């Protein structure tokens, strides 16, 4: 899952970035509203964590522009504790949730998981697909009731594919959701992760769609 973090406070931003990476997210951190607005026009993110008080362009404007373009990705806003007005304005401008500063990283991550579930129309916290069961909260996967060890990236890739089962995801989209800017990415990194997942969950589990990308079929129950 790739997150755009927009926060101008160096200390808070740095702590959040580090924490979110530890939780398995790919994180891109921007420090002003204008560059966030620009990035959101051109890049694909799964979630946005948006501070409202930002230089150059306010968080509210970034949010309003995003929704005006018809982009539906979940947005969690960060506000000052005393500012009820900001929270109301943020929610009315299309934010999906908010946290007031200071907050706990565990709570932020739980809220992000909840947003992700809602966004993929999934009330169940567990992601179940035939014999695979993923728990995004504990970062565990079982296959035929046995725990399978997967790397952070493999977990993120598997989750992305399962949440979009029945749909083809392009190589570019998948790579973007796994890596943030400035990360050194081998040109065949995605293929390596796909290869590893096939080894663990079966060769035919992930289909290659030539020239486009990859997909997992809908689970048997959904067909
Ligand atoms: Ca700020």
């Amino acid at each position: 899952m790739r997150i755009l973090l927009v926060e101008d406070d160096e200390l808070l931003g740095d702590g959040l970035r580090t924490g979110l990476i530890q939780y398995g997210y790919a994180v891109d951190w921007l420090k002003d509203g204008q560059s966030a607005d620009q990035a959101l026009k051109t890049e694909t993110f799964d979630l946005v964590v948006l501070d409202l008080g930002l230089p150059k362009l306010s968080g509210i404007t970034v949010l309003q522009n995003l929704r005006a373009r018809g982009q539906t990705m979940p947005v969690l806003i960060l506000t000052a504790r005393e500012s009820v007005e900001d929270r109301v304005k943020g929610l009315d401008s299309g934010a999906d949730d908010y946290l007031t500063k200071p907050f706990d990283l565990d709570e932020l991550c739980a809220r992000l998981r909840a947003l992700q579930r809602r966004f993929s129309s999934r009330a169940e916290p567990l992601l179940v697909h035939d014999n695979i069961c993923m728990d995004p909260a504990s970062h565990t996967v079982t296959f035929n009731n046995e725990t399978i060890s997967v790397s952070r990236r493999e977990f993120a890739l598997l989750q992305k594919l399962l949440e979009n089962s029945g749909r083809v995801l392009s190589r570019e989209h998948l790579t973007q959701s796994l890596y943030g800017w400035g990360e050194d990415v081998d040109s065949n990194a995605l293929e390596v992760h796909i290869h590893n997942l096939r080894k663990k969950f079966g060769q035919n589990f992930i289909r290659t769609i030539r020239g486009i990308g990859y997909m997992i079929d809908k689970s048997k129950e959904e067909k």
Side-chain angles (χ1 to χ4, degrees):
M1 297 294 127
R2 186 179 187 203
I3 292 190
L4 177 65
L5 168 66
V6 193
E7 171 58 71
D8 59 319
D9 183 304
E10 288 283 344
L11 209 61
L12 179 61
D14 191 49
L16 282 176
R17 196 183 72 90
T18 310
L20 288 168
I21 288 172
Q22 275 165 6
Y23 270 87
Y25 292 105
V27 182
D28 292 312
W29 174 24
L30 293 175
K31 300 169 192 176
D32 70 83
Q34 211 168 57
S35 45
D37 192 54
Q38 199 53 43
L40 286 163
K41 280 183 202 163
T42 51
E43 304 264 334
T44 309
F45 300 95
D46 298 293
L47 290 162
V48 183
V49 176
L50 180 68
D51 180 33
L52 290 188
L54 291 170
K56 293 187 187 171
L57 201 63
S58 79
I60 291 285
T61 308
V62 173
L63 184 57
Q64 286 169 341
N65 290 350
L66 178 77
R67 295 313 187 209
R69 288 191 297 268
Q71 292 176 278
T72 56
M73 66 202 46
V75 177
L76 184 146
I77 52 173
L78 305 176
T79 67
R81 183 164 297 282
E82 59 278 11
S83 184
V84 177
E85 206 181 304
D86 273 3
R87 296 203 284 280
V88 171
K89 194 153 187 224
L91 291 169
D92 281 340
S93 300
D96 300 278
D97 199 0
Y98 70 87
L99 270 177
T100 52
K101 297 176 188 178
F103 53 83
D104 188 273
L105 184 65
D106 285 335
E107 182 177 2
L108 173 64
C109 289
R111 283 176 184 270
L112 294 178
R113 285 193 294 273
L115 287 180
Q116 191 68 38
R117 278 204 302 278
R118 243 181 286 156
F119 190 64
S120 54
S121 308
R122 180 164 60 85
E124 250 297 300
L126 298 180
L127 195 57
V128 181
H129 188 278
D130 297 336
N131 302 335
I132 296 176
C133 177
M134 293 188 92
D135 183 352
S138 65
H139 252 252
T140 50
V141 194
T142 63
F143 181 47
N144 294 325
N145 298 318
E146 277 183 40
T147 302
I148 304 288
S149 119
V150 289
S151 71
R152 184 161 69 82
R153 307 263 198 223
E154 286 165 19
F155 190 95
L157 177 59
L158 184 61
Q159 182 172 359
K160 188 89 193 168
L161 286 164
L162 289 181
E163 283 183 335
N164 293 282
S165 66
R167 261 181 276 170
V168 182
L169 298 178
S170 70
R171 297 189 69 254
E172 193 189 11
H173 180 100
L174 287 170
T175 308
Q176 277 202 5
S177 80
L178 289 186
Y179 297 95
W181 298 312
E183 283 192 72
D184 223 355
V185 189
D186 276 351
S187 60
N188 67 343
L190 182 65
E191 281 67 28
V192 172
H193 296 314
I194 294 276
H195 172 81
N196 291 339
L197 286 176
R198 281 177 173 151
K199 265 206 311 214
K200 293 172 186 178
F201 299 96
Q203 282 307 319
N204 302 322
F205 169 56
I206 300 170
R207 285 167 48 195
T208 302
I209 310 298
R210 281 209 186 285
I212 305 174
Y214 297 96
M215 75 178 287
I216 288 178
D217 286 326
K218 278 196 176 303
S219 70
K220 292 189 182 91
E221 277 165 35
E222 284 179 280
K223 275 180 189 164

